[in-house]
Amino acid sequence: MKPGVRALGVAESYRERYSTLAGAVTRASRVTDGFAFETCTVGGTDATAAVADLFSSLGREDVRYVFVAGIALAWYNVVDLRRLAAEIDRPVISVTFEESPGLLDALEAEFEGDALERRRETFERQPPRERLGVNDQTVFVRPVGIDASEARDVVRAFTPEGGRPEPLRVARLAARAGDDLRRESERE
């Protein structure tokens, strides 16, 4: 992959009612050259719109791929990867870092009625997770708008070491810092 290819990584940090989403535009060469922030509601259903708004606020036509850290942000605020890819007209790759039995049992334990059905329907529309070896670690990916083979290549190209793609690593750091700043300003 050419070193100037850019990806947006979106990660979160949450406390209490709102989750801070951070987006980091990172080149395959590991140079970060843009940030954006957004919020979504903890336990809500606005994560997909928040990620789309974050992408739009950047105004970066040069971003070729979008990585999202997980699929259930902010305490089961499920991202509709298919809707997101269609809205932003970019391939979206959800990356998770731990094996899990899936999300349905957890959703059923936490929600009921319409709240459960809405999250279940969104989750069931998403592609299945695929196990991927990256360096000497394992991640799990859900690609939308890109075939599985290219998604594997993209994840590996943006992961120079360890198992976390660089756009997601940087976005996670920014989300935590943004969340700390917001919390500090709320105290004042």
Side-chain angles (χ1 to χ4, degrees), residues 136-154:
D136 59 352
Q137 297 189 24
T138 300
V139 298
F140 301 87
V141 299
R142 294 176 195 268
V144 174
I146 184 174
D147 68 46
S149 175
E150 185 180 356
R152 289 189 292 271
D153 292 344
V154 169

Side-chain angles (χ1 to χ4, degrees), residues 4 6 25 30 40 69 78 109 120:
R6 289 169 174 83
V25 177
R30 295 193 269 179
C40 67
V78 181
R120 183 185 307 169

Side-chain angles (χ1 to χ4, degrees), residues 13-20 39-42 179 182:
S13 176
Y14 79 85
R15 295 182 181 103
E16 299 168 21
R17 297 179 337 182
Y18 295 100
S19 176
T20 301
T39 60
C40 67
T41 308
V42 173
D179 199 39
R182 187 183 58 179

Side-chain angles (χ1 to χ4, degrees), residues 37-118:
F37 294 89
E38 189 57 68
T39 60
C40 67
T41 308
V42 173
T45 57
D46 58 346
T48 305
V51 175
D53 289 347
L54 186 151
F55 175 84
S56 294
S57 74
L58 284 164
R60 298 287 300 263
E61 291 299 317
D62 57 348
V63 169
R64 188 176 302 173
Y65 306 100
V66 174
F67 290 100
V68 179
I71 192 169
L73 307 178
W75 195 72
Y76 306 117
N77 196 330
V78 181
V79 178
D80 186 336
L81 303 172
R82 295 183 192 283
R83 190 177 107 212
L84 177 62
E87 284 185 26
I88 65 173
D89 194 28
R90 298 290 185 284
V92 175
I93 305 169
S94 170
V95 182
T96 53
F97 308 99
E98 297 175 11
E99 193 153 11
S100 76
L103 192 58
L104 290 178
D105 288 344
L107 290 174
E108 290 170 359
E110 299 296 337
F111 299 95
E112 56 187 32
D114 290 341
L116 172 61
E117 280 311 305
R118 184 170 184 182

Side-chain angles (χ1 to χ4, degrees), residues 121-141:
E121 287 173 7
T122 300
F123 178 71
E124 289 177 343
R125 282 193 305 266
Q126 307 315 305
R129 292 187 337 154
E130 177 185 322
R131 178 185 293 269
L132 176 63
V134 179
N135 299 319
D136 59 352
Q137 297 189 24
T138 300
V139 298
F140 301 87
V141 299

